[in-house]
Amino acid sequence: QLKNWGPVQGKKCMFRYKQLSHLFTANEVITVKNYTRDMGGRNHHPICFRKVAAGMGMLADHCEDGIGHGRKSNTRHDCNQGRQATLYNFRRYVMHNIGIRDVLPKKNRVIIWDRDVKDYKAERKIFGLSKLKKRIEESLNIEVMLFVTWHGKPIKYQIKEMSRSTIFITGPGSGSFISWFLPRGSTQIRLYPEWFKMEWFLFNYMP
């Protein structure tokens, strides 16, 4: 991430790695580079691990298609076809690790991610979502939670609230990925400020 996105974004990515690593394990997550430097010594002895997670970060989910998460091309990619069970098993594994019971909601509830207008990717902003929240509440008498940012809210809280909701209304981008934790039978409504297939390669195959 440091190489591709520079020091500012790289620092943000490392912060998220440290915050999210406990979804997979109670042990500290250490990068191979630092582990080699600190533990391998000058002789660079072989290092054996009981478990290793390796991947390509944000690029892994669209199979290195080179289209910028679906922004640079109208090409349809089916690289996640058949992975629905894998995605749902990931959801179940994470919720078990952090102690959240997987219970279907008894009534409808809506969550809206309303990206901050001052966000550094303001071109993805969807306007009018606060009015939509009010309209849903008044016309359907359904509880609606609106988040301008997920920052500062513990990941366990985010996952718990999402798993207890039935509808998620969101624009594209990183804040929409929490929808992995919607329950069975729920609906994600994705709104785009312009026409492109950003993240289509993943969310079209959500179970």
Side-chain angles (χ1 to χ4, degrees), residues 3-181:
K3 180 180 178 181
N4 293 329
W5 296 94
V8 175
Q9 283 299 104
K11 185 177 180 180
K12 293 179 182 178
C13 289
M14 185 55 65
F15 171 78
R16 289 183 174 87
Y17 289 150
K18 291 183 179 296
Q19 292 292 311
L20 299 178
S21 62
H22 68 275
L23 301 181
F24 303 99
T25 175
N27 300 321
E28 181 184 2
V29 173
I30 305 173
T31 62
V32 173
K33 179 180 179 181
N34 289 345
Y35 196 92
T36 304
R37 181 194 64 199
D38 297 338
M39 306 301 293
R42 293 183 179 180
N43 297 325
H44 299 289
H45 297 299
I47 300 172
C48 298
F49 299 92
R50 187 170 62 88
K51 292 182 179 180
V52 173
M56 297 169 56
M58 295 193 307
L59 298 180
D61 53 22
H62 55 79
C63 307
E64 202 176 7
D65 60 22
I67 64 171
H69 303 281
R71 297 190 299 273
K72 298 179 181 179
S73 171
N74 293 335
T75 304
R76 169 173 170 161
H77 289 271
D78 296 321
C79 61
N80 285 303
Q81 174 65 39
R83 293 182 177 176
Q84 288 89 337
T86 300
L87 296 172
Y88 200 79
N89 286 338
F90 167 79
R91 172 190 182 275
R92 183 169 52 188
Y93 177 77
V94 167
M95 290 177 66
H96 172 77
N97 282 352
I98 59 177
I100 297 179
R101 294 181 60 206
D102 190 7
V103 180
L104 290 175
K106 295 183 178 180
K107 59 180 180 180
N108 285 321
R109 186 174 75 159
V110 178
I111 287 184
I112 299 175
W113 177 44
D114 188 9
R115 181 190 291 269
D116 193 332
V117 69
K118 297 180 180 179
D119 185 273
Y120 76 106
K121 292 182 178 177
E123 70 277 5
R124 301 181 190 174
K125 168 69 177 175
I126 305 296
F127 291 92
L129 292 180
S130 58
K131 293 181 180 179
L132 177 61
K133 173 183 183 294
K134 184 177 181 181
R135 183 176 177 182
I136 294 173
E137 291 172 330
E138 292 178 349
S139 60
L140 301 176
N141 193 29
I142 295 176
E143 179 187 359
V144 181
M145 300 179 69
L146 186 145
F147 294 95
V148 174
T149 178
W150 296 107
H151 183 70
K153 297 172 179 60
I155 186 62
K156 183 173 182 178
Y157 169 82
Q158 297 180 35
I159 293 175
K160 186 176 181 179
E161 294 303 325
M162 190 60 62
S163 69
R164 294 181 177 180
S165 300
T166 56
I167 299 173
F168 181 39
I169 302 173
T170 178
S174 57
S176 69
F177 277 70
I178 192 69
S179 63
W180 283 41
F181 297 95

